[in-house]
Amino acid sequence: MKKMMISLAAAGALMLSAAPLQADAVGNGPNYGGNETINTSILHTYSELASYLQKQEAKQQDMELEVIGQSVKGRDLYLVKYMKNPENPTILFLTQQHGNEQLTTEGALEFIKHLGTGKMKGVTDNVNILIVPMLNPDGAMGDVDFSLDDYVASGDRHLTRYNALGVDLNRDHVTKIQPETQALHNNVMSKYDIDYMIDLHHQGARSERDGELVSGSILYPTTPNVDPEVLEGSKKLGAVVFDAVDSTGWGHLGKYVGGTAETISRNGIAVEYGISTLLFEMRGMSDHEYEPYVLGQKSNGYLIKQTIKTLDSTVRAIADGSIETKDTSFWDTLAEQTTRQSEEDE
Ligand SMILES: [Zn+2]
């Protein structure tokens, strides 16, 4: 309890000094439909992301940037690697399988920058980190073979869940028909000995737990075919994330309600590769045709910060081995999120 109060006080101090991290952004934060506009132009474009990654690679000795394939429209798909010792445990962070869920990518880019600074010194000696940011760049850039005219955000582009052919990549992990899914499986999943994966998404803006809107919800693999040890690793990974985020004062996490289909990466990748996976669904999408899914940009600050916190806490817990002894019993009491309107996303 004492520890909790200290961390809340620290979070409070942080909020006073950092404007984007307003406490009210979590509970009653600005939804679309408030007084703000939603301008997608403030997000990294695909080409800005590419040049950002290239600059970081030039700056960071331990970072390696690799092209793992191309999207339907021919955009290079990137893998960021920190792999000092193949014997170390390895975690993969995957963002933007769904093109309109971009704040997870914004957080991953910021985290990549952190990895090149003194504050992460020594961490990559003990853990290998793989990051695939923006697996669906065509959807993210709205460069697709179907109309986005009814999408609600303004800015220089629309962002959509689907790839250029209108396919949901996170339903393609068994047949692997799309080039984006093939790139991930052939050049990342099959190629490296990965222990953990966090698949980062955004859901609608109106999910709640215990009467309060959530900043996000998490879930482990729920297919009956998952190996019990893999499942336990997933629950430990979730415990690290929950403790790090829910204790911040601005984070409020629920248990996501998800299905058992192995076409979804959370389930399919756990079964096919024996990787402990965690789904993290952050609050609110960057663009959509359905208004209640979209969250105003005043929430961007804490949602990006939530992503960084997630990546930072998990690499540290794997690097120092503390993930191994993590208590997973919180999962037994963590309430499933409820939604004010019906939502389907993962
Ligand atoms: Zn998603």
Side-chain angles (χ1 to χ4, degrees):
M1 192 61 213
K2 194 175 175 193
K3 200 173 165 195
M4 180 76 153
M5 287 175 70
I6 290 167
S7 68
L8 283 176
L14 193 64
M15 278 184 272
L16 287 174
S17 61
L21 305 175
Q22 292 154 6
D24 65 356
V26 174
N28 303 301
N31 279 303
Y32 179 69
N35 295 324
E36 60 178 324
T37 57
I38 296 168
N39 190 342
T40 59
S41 309
I42 60 177
L43 304 170
H44 279 85
T45 63
Y46 167 77
S47 49
E48 285 166 356
L49 169 136
S51 73
Y52 181 103
L53 294 175
Q54 285 151 10
K55 269 182 207 151
Q56 288 301 319
E57 189 196 27
K59 258 190 216 170
Q60 296 190 38
Q61 202 190 334
D62 296 334
M63 173 187 158
E64 211 181 310
L65 186 62
E66 198 178 297
V67 173
I68 54 167
Q70 281 77 34
S71 68
V72 170
K73 298 284 186 180
R75 292 184 171 87
D76 284 340
L77 305 172
Y78 289 105
L79 167 67
V80 175
K81 291 201 289 186
Y82 295 85
M83 191 158 282
K84 282 191 183 172
N85 179 355
E87 300 299 307
N88 283 340
T90 300
I91 184 163
L92 166 68
F93 300 112
L94 174 61
T95 79
Q96 236 172 333
Q97 291 197 68
H98 296 142
N100 60 338
E101 302 174 8
Q102 186 156 336
L103 297 183
T104 57
T105 299
E106 300 294 327
L109 293 179
E110 194 62 28
F111 180 69
I112 289 165
K113 192 162 78 185
H114 288 187
L115 285 169
T117 66
K119 69 169 93 172
M120 298 300 286
K121 198 167 165 45
V123 173
T124 54
D125 291 342
N126 299 303
V127 60
N128 297 321
I129 305 168
L130 303 174
I131 305 171
V132 175
M134 200 184 271
L135 184 67
N136 178 7
D138 298 344
M141 292 309 296
D143 182 13
V144 294
D145 296 342
F146 52 96
S147 171
L148 303 178
D149 287 350
D150 50 357
Y151 275 47
V152 300
S154 57
D156 49 15
R157 60 169 155 143
H158 280 303
L159 297 86
T160 182
R161 175 181 181 91
Y162 306 103
N163 80 347
L165 302 176
V167 175
D168 185 332
L169 296 181
N170 202 24
R171 299 295 182 272
D172 190 37
H173 289 285
V174 172
T175 48
K176 308 172 185 87
I177 289 166
Q178 299 305 310
E180 295 90 353
T181 329
Q182 286 176 3
L184 178 73
H185 282 268
N186 296 341
N187 295 322
V188 183
M189 307 316 306
S190 314
K191 210 168 143 186
Y192 301 98
D193 184 13
I194 299 169
D195 302 282
Y196 299 97
M197 177 182 100
I198 301 184
D199 186 21
L200 295 143
H201 289 256
H202 284 262
Q203 61 179 352
R206 299 184 182 180
S207 301
E208 55 187 3
R209 184 201 99 205
D210 300 331
E212 242 187 279
L213 290 167
V214 297
S215 60
S217 286
I218 53 177
L219 189 61
Y220 45 76
T222 50
T223 159
N225 299 323
V226 66
D227 179 284
E229 268 183 47
V230 171
L231 177 59
E232 187 59 17
S234 300
K235 289 185 173 179
K236 286 176 176 171
L237 189 60
V240 172
V241 171
F242 185 85
D243 287 354
V245 171
D246 208 77
S247 63
T248 56
W250 44 261
H252 180 61
L253 300 184
K255 185 177 179 183
Y256 190 78
V257 182
T260 58
E262 290 174 15
T263 52
I264 297 170
S265 68
R266 165 175 58 84
N267 291 326
I269 284 172
V271 171
E272 184 172 356
Y273 305 98
I275 294 172
S276 292
T277 64
L278 185 76
L279 167 74
F280 196 159
E281 292 274 356
M282 311 229 171
R283 184 175 178 224
M285 303 177 195
S286 301
D287 198 0
H288 205 281
E289 59 197 334
Y290 182 56
E291 290 184 12
Y293 280 180
V294 183
L295 186 63
Q297 66 207 37
K298 284 182 186 167
S299 300
N300 286 9
Y302 87 85
L303 291 170
I304 292 170
K305 182 149 181 87
Q306 180 170 255
T307 304
I308 299 167
K309 192 93 187 159
T310 298
L311 275 49
D312 181 271
S313 61
T314 49
V315 301
R316 288 179 191 276
I318 295 167
D320 68 15
S322 60
I323 191 170
E324 299 290 342
T325 55
K326 223 42 202 172
D327 182 2
T328 59
S329 61
F330 84 101
W331 281 111
D332 303 332
T333 52
L334 180 64
E336 290 188 334
Q337 70 174 23
T338 51
T339 48
R340 291 175 191 181
Q341 308 197 23
S342 123
E343 289 176 7
E344 290 290 330
D345 179 58
E346 180 159 332

